[in-house]
Amino acid sequence: MRPGAEKIDDPFAIQTEDISKNFGAVRAVRRLSISIPKRGLTSIVGPNGSGKSTLVNLLSGVLPLDGGIVILEGNSLKVLKAHENPSHGLTRTFQEVRLFDQVSVWDNIMVVLTKRGLFPALLERVNPMQRDRARGILENVGLWDKRDALAENLSYGQRKLLEIGRAMAMEANIYLFDEPFAGLFPEMVVKVKEILNRMREQGDTIVFISHNMDIVRELSDHLIVLDSGSLLAEGQVDEVLSQPKVIKAYLGA
């Protein structure tokens, strides 16, 4: 546990208490309190500008909190820093894929597994355990046959898969995925759904943003609906989506 963090016994992977984020006069997140269960798939939905990506950026320490508390695996935190995510068992992907484009698919995974910078990782001798782990990840995301290809030569969908693979290499407990299905062809959507389902089956906590309500209904165990930076509804998917206020605000009916 990080020095200064207060240990709290609760059953949730993530909770927030009155967290806020402002950009000048814009209140992007407004005293938001949510609870994300351990294990399973939680989706975050809402209209454009509702605060979804800002929330993920706050939970992962990419943006500082303007107020409130985030509780990660029982640790109560007023300050989150992105470089401390591994110590909290958390990792994330971004809506815009971030890879080392000039190196191979294999080396993109090895950089994470060896926990070193890019050039030290390229020079380091790989041990059999790391090699087996890298192969397992690439087979899981369907990129083993592309292991020698440069990341920049992958298709958009394959780049998404590689970023998910890099997140898996972190061996975290909590995974935050910002729009993992955005811009994918149908066959790649199926692949990503299969990966997320396998992660759920092995006991991981997955939180993802999506605009595709069919995917949300199919995958999610828990649903959070935001509107103008505030919590509109939270709970089981069918119950939440049947609420008149959600239908009015998000589905436009």
Side-chain angles (χ1 to χ4, degrees):
M1 182 170 64
R2 189 174 64 85
E6 178 186 353
K7 187 68 176 180
I8 297 176
D9 182 20
D10 73 64
F12 299 101
I14 304 174
Q15 288 180 287
T16 70
E17 296 180 357
D18 292 332
I19 64 171
S20 298
K21 185 63 187 178
N22 303 320
F23 299 103
V26 178
R27 300 177 65 190
V29 173
R30 309 176 181 219
R31 302 195 65 180
L32 182 65
S33 297
I34 59 172
S35 298
I36 296 174
K38 288 183 179 179
R39 293 172 291 277
L41 281 155
T42 293
S43 55
I44 302 172
V45 304
N48 289 333
S50 61
K52 302 182 297 295
S53 289
T54 300
L55 173 58
V56 170
N57 286 335
L58 292 173
L59 296 178
S60 58
V62 173
L63 292 174
L65 297 169
D66 287 340
I69 294 172
V70 174
I71 304 171
L72 291 176
E73 294 281 349
N75 297 319
S76 181
L77 306 165
K78 292 183 179 181
V79 177
L80 296 93
K81 299 180 179 179
H83 71 268
E84 294 180 348
N85 284 338
S87 67
H88 300 306
L90 181 147
T91 190
R92 65 163 297 175
T93 65
F94 292 82
Q95 187 170 353
E96 294 182 2
V97 180
R98 301 184 180 187
L99 302 172
F100 292 115
D101 282 335
Q102 302 300 315
V103 302
S104 69
V105 168
W106 174 267
D107 286 327
N108 265 273
I109 298 296
M110 292 311 305
V111 169
V112 180
L113 288 180
T114 57
K115 297 180 174 60
R116 296 174 180 264
L118 175 59
F119 293 108
L122 295 177
L123 297 173
E124 180 176 324
R125 187 177 181 86
V126 179
N127 66 49
M129 185 176 298
Q130 291 169 336
R131 186 180 296 107
D132 290 345
R133 175 68 177 147
R135 176 165 185 159
I137 290 170
L138 291 176
E139 288 178 342
N140 194 347
V141 300
L143 292 177
W144 175 245
D145 291 342
K146 294 286 186 178
R147 61 190 179 277
D148 295 325
L150 294 181
E152 67 178 356
N153 293 332
L154 298 179
S155 69
Y156 175 76
Q158 290 168 339
R159 289 171 61 82
K160 283 269 193 177
L161 293 177
L162 180 54
E163 188 175 44
I164 292 173
R166 282 167 52 87
M168 293 169 65
M170 294 293 296
E171 297 184 332
N173 301 316
I174 304 169
Y175 295 84
L176 308 180
F177 294 129
D178 192 350
E179 294 281 8
F181 298 99
L184 298 183
F185 290 117
E187 61 270 22
M188 199 63 73
V189 169
V190 171
K191 182 66 178 177
V192 174
K193 288 194 293 186
E194 291 173 350
I195 293 169
L196 298 190
N197 274 323
R198 285 196 295 270
M199 294 175 71
R200 171 170 52 189
E201 290 169 1
Q202 68 186 25
D204 294 325
T205 300
I206 301 104
V207 182
F208 72 98
I209 295 172
S210 180
H211 286 92
N212 188 316
M213 297 309 298
D214 290 334
I215 292 175
V216 168
R217 287 182 183 274
E218 178 183 351
L219 291 184
S220 304
D221 303 300
H222 189 76
L223 177 61
I224 294 168
V225 183
L226 302 182
D227 188 29
S228 300
S230 299
L231 179 64
L232 186 63
E234 179 180 15
Q236 294 186 347
V237 179
D238 290 339
E239 293 179 2
V240 168
L241 292 181
S242 67
Q243 295 182 29
K245 61 183 178 181
V246 174
I247 295 173
K248 180 179 180 180
Y250 186 63
L251 303 179

